Amino acid sequence: MSSSIERLATRNTLVGESLPIRRALPTKGRRMIGAWCFLDHAGPVTLDNDQDFRVGPHPHIGLQTFTWMIEGEILHRDSLGYQQVLRPGQVNLMTAGQGISHSEEAIPGQTRLHLAQLWIALPDAHRHTVPAFQHYPTLPVLQQGGFTVTVLAGTSLEQTSPVQVYSPMTGIDLTSTGTAETQMTLNPLFEHGALVLDGEVTVQGESLEPGTLLYMSPGLTQLHLKTSAAARVLLLGGKPFNEQVLLWWNFVARNEAEIIQATNDWNTQSGRFGEVKGYEGERLVAPGTEGLHLRK
Ligand code: MN
């Protein structure tokens, strides 16, 4: 099996109405990498007063939110009652299952912010599970070829992340403070994506900077990474997700009826998504579902 690679431009958008982010998934030409179905790269930015990071209470279904903190601190609150500060080097994992709601905000006084927020689609057997939240204060970290490698999800370089996922996948962060070069063994059954979060990294001969996602189809057994200066790259992988998913707003579902039900349940405050306590601000309103058919 021969692997092909593809360069995909990320899309600039805003989170919390004021924080500029680059959305790498879903994007034109690529909806998922394994079960990874959403990838926002925020920062690195120096926060102004008008560039606050606050996302009011909003619901999720059918996915796990996975937040990887690089600089700054944010506070997560959810309808299960968890309030968790997330610091650099840590992961917050929220399993939405049948329904949960949460808010996120930068801790007051933050001046720098840099993070990746990802969603993981839950396979059919787990997507209606009871909601859960887990905080991972430490993850496996090792040195390889000048890179500091953090194993975020799955198993890489013989280290296994404690992060609880439900399908075959991997996620690693490689950071260098200067020249670094390594060759990594990959699972050839996985498709992969590389997104540079800082600096410049050459991946499989492709020079990458923030703003470009490099997609690599299954069949790759070795990955070559090289940099000549301080840099950071996120590598995601997974077995191609063989279920057709429908993404709409903050919901991952399988059909329109599920999206419409979730939208109504949130907007009518039916109780399905519980209540986020302690957040100072408005809950978000789900958009109308008139345009749903355009997403097929
Ligand atoms: Mn969310």
Side-chain angles (χ1 to χ4, degrees), residues 11-26:
R11 184 162 63 84
N12 295 325
T13 183
L14 296 175
V15 160
E17 296 177 1
S18 61
L19 183 71
I21 58 106
R22 299 176 200 85
R23 184 155 296 159
L25 287 176

Side-chain angles (χ1 to χ4, degrees), residues 58 60 65 94 102 104 117 119 250:
H58 60 278
H60 287 288
T65 63
M94 187 178 77
H102 73 144
E104 291 158 298
Q117 180 154 69
W119 294 355
N250 292 301

Side-chain angles (χ1 to χ4, degrees), residues 61 88 101 216 218 228:
I61 61 168
S101 55
M216 294 158 279
S228 56

Side-chain angles (χ1 to χ4, degrees), residues 256-279:
E256 293 183 12
E258 291 175 0
I259 301 276
I260 290 166
Q261 185 68 53
T263 296
N264 291 340
D265 286 345
W266 174 251
N267 284 347
T268 62
Q269 303 194 33
S270 73
R272 174 180 179 180
F273 296 104
E275 193 189 339
V276 179
K277 295 205 167 84
Y279 180 82

